[in-house]
Amino acid sequence: SHIRHAWDPTKSVAQNLAEMGLADDPNKAVPVPKKKLLGMEAESDGRKQGKKIVRKPYVVNEMEYEASLPEKKSNTLSRDLIDYVRYMIQNHGENYKASTGYEKNYYQDTPKQIKRKINVYKNFYPEEYKDFIASLKQEKMDVQ
């Protein structure tokens, strides 16, 4: 969006990017030094690095600022996985071997895989997990 706002449609791509301090050709922006070949020095291609004037430095500054912001963590679990884990906890509790042979185990998860999925659910939603366990204990109390 920063580039879009600073873009001048009357100029070429190379001119627009040069004004913003950006490169249109990465090979020219970061030159790779040529190595010596069999004891002889390779000749330079004759291009001279000229000093370019940056007329719109705010574009690069805004992009650098935006890139330096911390990334938002959007770790969530799918609704299907949450339902699966809650069902396994509700019917089998900590008995992971019993939950492997159950028809809801569509992916034929091993006991370790089921335990890992339950632990992931615990880590992602600790409050929801505590409330769920409390509600299960309350149901058991009501039945007795």
Side-chain angles (χ1 to χ4, degrees):
S1 67
H2 305 296
I3 294 172
R4 188 179 303 121
H5 292 299
W7 197 265
D8 185 2
T10 61
K11 296 181 180 176
S12 70
V13 174
Q15 289 172 335
N16 271 308
L17 292 176
E19 281 186 355
M20 294 178 211
L22 301 172
D24 61 332
D25 185 4
N27 295 322
K28 292 177 185 174
V30 182
V32 177
K34 296 195 177 196
K35 295 183 179 183
K36 295 180 181 179
L37 303 172
L38 300 173
M40 300 182 342
E41 286 190 33
E43 297 178 21
S44 63
D45 59 356
R47 285 187 244 163
K48 295 189 178 187
Q49 297 289 333
K51 184 85 172 166
K52 295 182 179 179
I53 298 172
V54 179
R55 294 194 175 129
K56 299 176 184 177
Y58 60 90
V59 175
V60 174
N61 294 338
E62 289 172 354
M63 290 173 65
E64 286 176 347
Y65 172 73
E66 203 171 277
S68 70
L69 293 175
E71 189 175 326
K72 290 182 181 178
K73 292 191 176 188
S74 61
N75 294 339
T76 58
L77 298 178
S78 69
R79 190 75 237 165
D80 291 337
L81 182 63
I82 292 172
D83 293 340
Y84 171 77
V85 168
R86 293 179 112 208
Y87 188 83
M88 291 299 178
I89 293 171
Q90 188 174 7
N91 290 321
H92 303 289
E94 298 289 320
N95 189 358
Y96 305 116
K97 283 190 178 183
S99 59
T100 56
Y102 201 70
E103 63 190 29
K104 277 276 190 177
N105 189 2
Y106 301 122
Y107 300 109
Q108 298 180 351
D109 292 333
T110 63
K112 276 190 171 183
Q113 289 172 322
I114 293 172
K115 183 178 180 181
R116 195 174 306 125
K117 286 181 180 181
I118 291 173
N119 287 335
V120 166
Y121 174 70
K122 287 179 189 178
N123 293 335
F124 275 65
Y125 304 103
E127 294 298 320
E128 188 177 317
Y129 176 75
K130 288 177 187 174
D131 294 341
F132 180 64
I133 296 298
S135 70
L136 288 178
K137 288 181 181 177
Q138 186 63 34
E139 285 179 13
K140 287 181 182 177
M141 298 283 267
D142 293 340
V143 170
Q144 293 175 354

